[in-house]
PDB file of all heavy atoms in Angstrom:
ATOM      1  N   LEU S  30      45.314 -19.770  -9.534  1.00  0.00           N
ATOM      2  CA  LEU S  30      45.140 -21.173  -9.866  1.00  0.00           C
ATOM      3  C   LEU S  30      45.176 -21.392 -11.374  1.00  0.00           C
ATOM      4  O   LEU S  30      45.881 -22.259 -11.879  1.00  0.00           O
ATOM      5  CB  LEU S  30      43.799 -21.687  -9.392  1.00  0.00           C
ATOM      6  CG  LEU S  30      43.708 -22.424  -8.047  1.00  0.00           C
ATOM      7  CD1 LEU S  30      42.274 -22.933  -7.871  1.00  0.00           C
ATOM      8  CD2 LEU S  30      44.708 -23.526  -7.912  1.00  0.00           C
ATOM      9  N   PHE S  34      48.074 -23.453 -13.032  1.00  0.00           N
ATOM     10  CA  PHE S  34      47.762 -24.836 -13.383  1.00  0.00           C
ATOM     11  C   PHE S  34      47.069 -25.020 -14.721  1.00  0.00           C
ATOM     12  O   PHE S  34      47.128 -26.096 -15.275  1.00  0.00           O
ATOM     13  CB  PHE S  34      46.914 -25.467 -12.279  1.00  0.00           C
ATOM     14  CG  PHE S  34      47.589 -25.502 -10.972  1.00  0.00           C
ATOM     15  CD1 PHE S  34      47.034 -24.918  -9.843  1.00  0.00           C
ATOM     16  CD2 PHE S  34      48.835 -26.101 -10.825  1.00  0.00           C
ATOM     17  CE1 PHE S  34      47.666 -24.896  -8.616  1.00  0.00           C
ATOM     18  CE2 PHE S  34      49.505 -26.117  -9.616  1.00  0.00           C
ATOM     19  CZ  PHE S  34      48.910 -25.528  -8.514  1.00  0.00           C
ATOM     20  N   ALA S  57      54.665 -33.632 -16.869  1.00  0.00           N
ATOM     21  CA  ALA S  57      53.286 -33.632 -16.439  1.00  0.00           C
ATOM     22  C   ALA S  57      53.116 -34.053 -14.970  1.00  0.00           C
ATOM     23  O   ALA S  57      51.986 -34.230 -14.515  1.00  0.00           O
ATOM     24  CB  ALA S  57      52.431 -34.539 -17.350  1.00  0.00           C
ATOM     25  N   CYS S  58      54.236 -34.155 -14.256  1.00  0.00           N
ATOM     26  CA  CYS S  58      54.149 -34.372 -12.799  1.00  0.00           C
ATOM     27  C   CYS S  58      54.391 -33.018 -12.175  1.00  0.00           C
ATOM     28  O   CYS S  58      55.522 -32.630 -11.916  1.00  0.00           O
ATOM     29  CB  CYS S  58      55.197 -35.350 -12.324  1.00  0.00           C
ATOM     30  SG  CYS S  58      54.796 -37.069 -12.770  1.00  0.00           S
ATOM     31  N   ARG S  59      53.340 -32.222 -12.007  1.00  0.00           N
ATOM     32  CA  ARG S  59      53.509 -30.860 -11.558  1.00  0.00           C
ATOM     33  C   ARG S  59      53.100 -30.746 -10.097  1.00  0.00           C
ATOM     34  O   ARG S  59      51.969 -30.516  -9.811  1.00  0.00           O
ATOM     35  CB  ARG S  59      52.637 -29.916 -12.438  1.00  0.00           C
ATOM     36  CG  ARG S  59      52.830 -30.121 -13.871  1.00  0.00           C
ATOM     37  CD  ARG S  59      52.575 -28.857 -14.631  1.00  0.00           C
ATOM     38  NE  ARG S  59      53.514 -27.823 -14.251  1.00  0.00           N
ATOM     39  CZ  ARG S  59      54.683 -27.617 -14.887  1.00  0.00           C
ATOM     40  NH1 ARG S  59      55.067 -28.363 -15.874  1.00  0.00           N
ATOM     41  NH2 ARG S  59      55.461 -26.636 -14.481  1.00  0.00           N
ATOM     42  N   GLY S  60      54.073 -30.994  -9.245  1.00  0.00           N
ATOM     43  CA  GLY S  60      53.737 -30.819  -7.826  1.00  0.00           C
ATOM     44  C   GLY S  60      54.014 -32.112  -7.105  1.00  0.00           C
ATOM     45  O   GLY S  60      54.300 -32.110  -5.853  1.00  0.00           O
ATOM     46  N   SER S  61      53.942 -33.194  -7.804  1.00  0.00           N
ATOM     47  CA  SER S  61      54.267 -34.487  -7.144  1.00  0.00           C
ATOM     48  C   SER S  61      55.708 -34.792  -7.377  1.00  0.00           C
ATOM     49  O   SER S  61      56.382 -35.372  -6.532  1.00  0.00           O
ATOM     50  CB  SER S  61      53.428 -35.577  -7.777  1.00  0.00           C
ATOM     51  OG  SER S  61      53.450 -35.394  -9.179  1.00  0.00           O
ATOM     52  N   ASP S  84      42.575 -40.440  -9.629  1.00  0.00           N
ATOM     53  CA  ASP S  84      43.562 -39.403  -9.355  1.00  0.00           C
ATOM     54  C   ASP S  84      42.816 -38.100  -9.176  1.00  0.00           C
ATOM     55  O   ASP S  84      42.242 -37.570 -10.130  1.00  0.00           O
ATOM     56  CB  ASP S  84      44.578 -39.308 -10.521  1.00  0.00           C
ATOM     57  CG  ASP S  84      45.713 -38.373 -10.254  1.00  0.00           C
ATOM     58  OD1 ASP S  84      45.555 -37.454  -9.363  1.00  0.00           O
ATOM     59  OD2 ASP S  84      46.734 -38.458 -10.935  1.00  0.00           O
ATOM     60  N   GLY S  86      42.466 -34.238  -8.569  1.00  0.00           N
ATOM     61  CA  GLY S  86      43.341 -33.062  -8.786  1.00  0.00           C
ATOM     62  C   GLY S  86      44.535 -33.464  -9.604  1.00  0.00           C
ATOM     63  O   GLY S  86      45.685 -33.198  -9.241  1.00  0.00           O
ATOM     64  N   SER S  87      44.250 -34.102 -10.733  1.00  0.00           N
ATOM     65  CA  SER S  87      45.303 -34.809 -11.483  1.00  0.00           C
ATOM     66  C   SER S  87      46.206 -33.929 -12.319  1.00  0.00           C
ATOM     67  O   SER S  87      47.202 -34.407 -12.819  1.00  0.00           O
ATOM     68  CB  SER S  87      44.635 -35.859 -12.392  1.00  0.00           C
ATOM     69  OG  SER S  87      43.590 -35.251 -13.152  1.00  0.00           O
ATOM     70  N   GLY S  88      45.873 -32.639 -12.454  1.00  0.00           N
ATOM     71  CA  GLY S  88      46.741 -31.755 -13.236  1.00  0.00           C
ATOM     72  C   GLY S  88      46.862 -32.278 -14.630  1.00  0.00           C
ATOM     73  O   GLY S  88      45.902 -32.575 -15.320  1.00  0.00           O
ATOM     74  N   PRO S  92      51.430 -38.266 -12.920  1.00  0.00           N
ATOM     75  CA  PRO S  92      51.576 -39.291 -11.899  1.00  0.00           C
ATOM     76  C   PRO S  92      50.829 -40.613 -12.243  1.00  0.00           C
ATOM     77  O   PRO S  92      51.360 -41.693 -12.041  1.00  0.00           O
ATOM     78  CB  PRO S  92      50.989 -38.630 -10.653  1.00  0.00           C
ATOM     79  CG  PRO S  92      51.281 -37.161 -10.825  1.00  0.00           C
ATOM     80  CD  PRO S  92      51.067 -36.935 -12.304  1.00  0.00           C
ATOM     81  N   GLU S 112      40.218 -33.428 -12.752  1.00  0.00           N
ATOM     82  CA  GLU S 112      40.977 -32.155 -12.647  1.00  0.00           C
ATOM     83  C   GLU S 112      40.075 -30.992 -13.062  1.00  0.00           C
ATOM     84  O   GLU S 112      39.451 -31.021 -14.132  1.00  0.00           O
ATOM     85  CB  GLU S 112      42.197 -32.258 -13.613  1.00  0.00           C
ATOM     86  CG  GLU S 112      42.869 -30.919 -13.927  1.00  0.00           C
ATOM     87  CD  GLU S 112      43.370 -30.179 -12.747  1.00  0.00           C
ATOM     88  OE1 GLU S 112      43.917 -30.773 -11.792  1.00  0.00           O
ATOM     89  OE2 GLU S 112      43.194 -28.922 -12.747  1.00  0.00           O
ATOM     90  N   PRO S 113      39.974 -29.986 -12.160  1.00  0.00           N
ATOM     91  CA  PRO S 113      39.029 -28.883 -12.446  1.00  0.00           C
ATOM     92  C   PRO S 113      39.460 -27.917 -13.559  1.00  0.00           C
ATOM     93  O   PRO S 113      38.585 -27.259 -14.149  1.00  0.00           O
ATOM     94  CB  PRO S 113      38.921 -28.147 -11.133  1.00  0.00           C
ATOM     95  CG  PRO S 113      40.188 -28.455 -10.405  1.00  0.00           C
ATOM     96  CD  PRO S 113      40.573 -29.790 -10.838  1.00  0.00           C
ATOM     97  N   MET S 114      40.749 -27.781 -13.838  1.00  0.00           N
ATOM     98  CA  MET S 114      41.212 -26.828 -14.834  1.00  0.00           C
ATOM     99  C   MET S 114      40.990 -27.441 -16.229  1.00  0.00           C
ATOM    100  O   MET S 114      41.632 -28.475 -16.517  1.00  0.00           O
ATOM    101  CB  MET S 114      42.669 -26.442 -14.632  1.00  0.00           C
ATOM    102  CG  MET S 114      42.932 -25.755 -13.304  1.00  0.00           C
ATOM    103  SD  MET S 114      42.174 -24.114 -13.207  1.00  0.00           S
ATOM    104  CE  MET S 114      41.370 -24.204 -11.669  1.00  0.00           C
ATOM    105  N   ALA S 132      36.535 -31.819 -13.233  1.00  0.00           N
ATOM    106  CA  ALA S 132      35.689 -31.773 -12.034  1.00  0.00           C
ATOM    107  C   ALA S 132      36.493 -31.344 -10.843  1.00  0.00           C
ATOM    108  O   ALA S 132      37.691 -31.705 -10.686  1.00  0.00           O
ATOM    109  CB  ALA S 132      35.053 -33.134 -11.763  1.00  0.00           C
ATOM    110  N   TRP S 133      35.845 -30.565  -9.950  1.00  0.00           N
ATOM    111  CA  TRP S 133      36.434 -30.266  -8.656  1.00  0.00           C
ATOM    112  C   TRP S 133      36.285 -31.506  -7.797  1.00  0.00           C
ATOM    113  O   TRP S 133      35.253 -32.193  -7.832  1.00  0.00           O
ATOM    114  CB  TRP S 133      35.693 -29.071  -8.016  1.00  0.00           C
ATOM    115  CG  TRP S 133      35.760 -27.828  -8.836  1.00  0.00           C
ATOM    116  CD1 TRP S 133      34.908 -27.424  -9.836  1.00  0.00           C
ATOM    117  CD2 TRP S 133      36.795 -26.821  -8.792  1.00  0.00           C
ATOM    118  NE1 TRP S 133      35.342 -26.228 -10.380  1.00  0.00           N
ATOM    119  CE2 TRP S 133      36.484 -25.825  -9.744  1.00  0.00           C
ATOM    120  CE3 TRP S 133      37.953 -26.630  -7.997  1.00  0.00           C
ATOM    121  CZ2 TRP S 133      37.281 -24.720  -9.960  1.00  0.00           C
ATOM    122  CZ3 TRP S 133      38.724 -25.517  -8.205  1.00  0.00           C
ATOM    123  CH2 TRP S 133      38.390 -24.581  -9.177  1.00  0.00           C
ATOM    124  N   THR S 134      37.263 -31.774  -6.941  1.00  0.00           N
ATOM    125  CA  THR S 134      37.189 -32.980  -6.146  1.00  0.00           C
ATOM    126  C   THR S 134      36.059 -32.889  -5.087  1.00  0.00           C
ATOM    127  O   THR S 134      35.540 -33.906  -4.627  1.00  0.00           O
ATOM    128  CB  THR S 134      38.551 -33.278  -5.514  1.00  0.00           C
ATOM    129  OG1 THR S 134      39.454 -33.567  -6.547  1.00  0.00           O
ATOM    130  CG2 THR S 134      38.490 -34.456  -4.560  1.00  0.00           C
ATOM    131  N   GLU S 135      35.627 -31.639  -4.762  1.00  0.00           N
ATOM    132  CA  GLU S 135      34.512 -31.532  -3.822  1.00  0.00           C
ATOM    133  C   GLU S 135      33.203 -32.014  -4.440  1.00  0.00           C
ATOM    134  O   GLU S 135      32.217 -32.235  -3.743  1.00  0.00           O
ATOM    135  CB  GLU S 135      34.309 -30.053  -3.441  1.00  0.00           C
ATOM    136  CG  GLU S 135      35.446 -29.410  -2.673  1.00  0.00           C
ATOM    137  CD  GLU S 135      36.513 -28.827  -3.530  1.00  0.00           C
ATOM    138  OE1 GLU S 135      36.758 -29.386  -4.616  1.00  0.00           O
ATOM    139  OE2 GLU S 135      37.102 -27.791  -3.161  1.00  0.00           O
ATOM    140  N   LEU S 150      47.625 -35.526  -5.125  1.00  0.00           N
ATOM    141  CA  LEU S 150      49.002 -35.136  -4.969  1.00  0.00           C
ATOM    142  C   LEU S 150      49.137 -33.590  -5.093  1.00  0.00           C
ATOM    143  O   LEU S 150      48.880 -33.053  -6.171  1.00  0.00           O
ATOM    144  CB  LEU S 150      49.862 -35.838  -6.015  1.00  0.00           C
ATOM    145  CG  LEU S 150      49.659 -37.358  -6.117  1.00  0.00           C
ATOM    146  CD1 LEU S 150      50.446 -37.939  -7.248  1.00  0.00           C
ATOM    147  CD2 LEU S 150      49.956 -38.036  -4.822  1.00  0.00           C
ATOM    148  N   GLY S 151      49.471 -32.943  -3.990  1.00  0.00           N
ATOM    149  CA  GLY S 151      49.675 -31.525  -4.038  1.00  0.00           C
ATOM    150  C   GLY S 151      48.404 -30.728  -4.232  1.00  0.00           C
ATOM    151  O   GLY S 151      48.411 -29.634  -4.790  1.00  0.00           O
ATOM    152  N   VAL S 152      47.303 -31.264  -3.686  1.00  0.00           N
ATOM    153  CA  VAL S 152      46.003 -30.658  -4.004  1.00  0.00           C
ATOM    154  C   VAL S 152      45.335 -29.949  -2.826  1.00  0.00           C
ATOM    155  O   VAL S 152      44.783 -28.861  -2.936  1.00  0.00           O
ATOM    156  CB  VAL S 152      45.016 -31.690  -4.579  1.00  0.00           C
ATOM    157  CG1 VAL S 152      43.661 -31.094  -4.885  1.00  0.00           C
ATOM    158  CG2 VAL S 152      45.611 -32.298  -5.880  1.00  0.00           C
ATOM    159  N   VAL S 155      45.700 -26.238  -2.225  1.00  0.00           N
ATOM    160  CA  VAL S 155      45.201 -25.276  -3.258  1.00  0.00           C
ATOM    161  C   VAL S 155      43.672 -25.407  -3.412  1.00  0.00           C
ATOM    162  O   VAL S 155      43.087 -24.695  -4.225  1.00  0.00           O
ATOM    163  CB  VAL S 155      45.877 -25.499  -4.625  1.00  0.00           C
ATOM    164  CG1 VAL S 155      47.339 -25.107  -4.559  1.00  0.00           C
ATOM    165  CG2 VAL S 155      45.694 -26.897  -5.159  1.00  0.00           C
ATOM    166  N   ALA S 156      43.061 -26.332  -2.646  1.00  0.00           N
ATOM    167  CA  ALA S 156      41.652 -26.656  -2.901  1.00  0.00           C
ATOM    168  C   ALA S 156      40.663 -25.745  -2.162  1.00  0.00           C
ATOM    169  O   ALA S 156      39.485 -25.862  -2.376  1.00  0.00           O
ATOM    170  CB  ALA S 156      41.373 -28.092  -2.532  1.00  0.00           C
ATOM    171  N   LEU S 162      36.831 -31.559   0.381  1.00  0.00           N
ATOM    172  CA  LEU S 162      37.490 -32.426  -0.602  1.00  0.00           C
ATOM    173  C   LEU S 162      37.640 -33.864  -0.018  1.00  0.00           C
ATOM    174  O   LEU S 162      37.308 -34.863  -0.676  1.00  0.00           O
ATOM    175  CB  LEU S 162      38.822 -31.822  -0.979  1.00  0.00           C
ATOM    176  CG  LEU S 162      39.599 -32.441  -2.112  1.00  0.00           C
ATOM    177  CD1 LEU S 162      40.376 -31.361  -2.858  1.00  0.00           C
ATOM    178  CD2 LEU S 162      40.588 -33.454  -1.568  1.00  0.00           C
TER     179      LEU S 162
HETATM  180  C1  SAM W 316      50.293 -28.856  -7.572  1.00  0.00           C
HETATM  181  S1  SAM W 316      49.139 -29.298  -8.773  1.00  0.00           S
HETATM  182  C2  SAM W 316      49.322 -31.065  -8.747  1.00  0.00           C
HETATM  183  C3  SAM W 316      48.786 -31.718  -9.957  1.00  0.00           C
HETATM  184  C4  SAM W 316      48.994 -33.227  -9.978  1.00  0.00           C
HETATM  185  N1  SAM W 316      48.318 -33.857  -8.857  1.00  0.00           N
HETATM  186  C5  SAM W 316      50.431 -33.571  -9.964  1.00  0.00           C
HETATM  187  O1  SAM W 316      50.945 -34.038  -8.931  1.00  0.00           O
HETATM  188  O2  SAM W 316      51.098 -33.411 -10.964  1.00  0.00           O
HETATM  189  C6  SAM W 316      47.568 -29.083  -7.943  1.00  0.00           C
HETATM  190  C7  SAM W 316      46.340 -29.409  -8.756  1.00  0.00           C
HETATM  191  O3  SAM W 316      45.136 -29.323  -7.981  1.00  0.00           O
HETATM  192  C8  SAM W 316      44.130 -28.776  -8.766  1.00  0.00           C
HETATM  193  N2  SAM W 316      43.078 -28.299  -7.884  1.00  0.00           N
HETATM  194  C9  SAM W 316      42.897 -27.068  -7.380  1.00  0.00           C
HETATM  195  N3  SAM W 316      41.757 -27.013  -6.615  1.00  0.00           N
HETATM  196  C10 SAM W 316      41.176 -28.255  -6.708  1.00  0.00           C
HETATM  197  C11 SAM W 316      40.002 -28.858  -6.222  1.00  0.00           C
HETATM  198  N4  SAM W 316      39.177 -28.171  -5.418  1.00  0.00           N
HETATM  199  N5  SAM W 316      39.726 -30.094  -6.558  1.00  0.00           N
HETATM  200  C12 SAM W 316      40.573 -30.832  -7.329  1.00  0.00           C
HETATM  201  N6  SAM W 316      41.732 -30.329  -7.843  1.00  0.00           N
HETATM  202  C13 SAM W 316      42.025 -29.062  -7.546  1.00  0.00           C
HETATM  203  C14 SAM W 316      44.842 -27.742  -9.594  1.00  0.00           C
HETATM  204  O4  SAM W 316      44.083 -27.353 -10.721  1.00  0.00           O
HETATM  205  C15 SAM W 316      46.124 -28.443  -9.926  1.00  0.00           C
HETATM  206  O5  SAM W 316      46.029 -29.190 -11.125  1.00  0.00           O
END
Side-chain angles (χ1 to χ4, degrees):
L30 264 186
F34 299 123
C58 287
R59 309 209 62 92
S61 44
D84 185 340
S87 50
E112 162 58 40
M114 298 293 132
W133 299 89
T134 296
E135 295 89 325
L150 311 176
V152 178
V155 292
L162 187 146

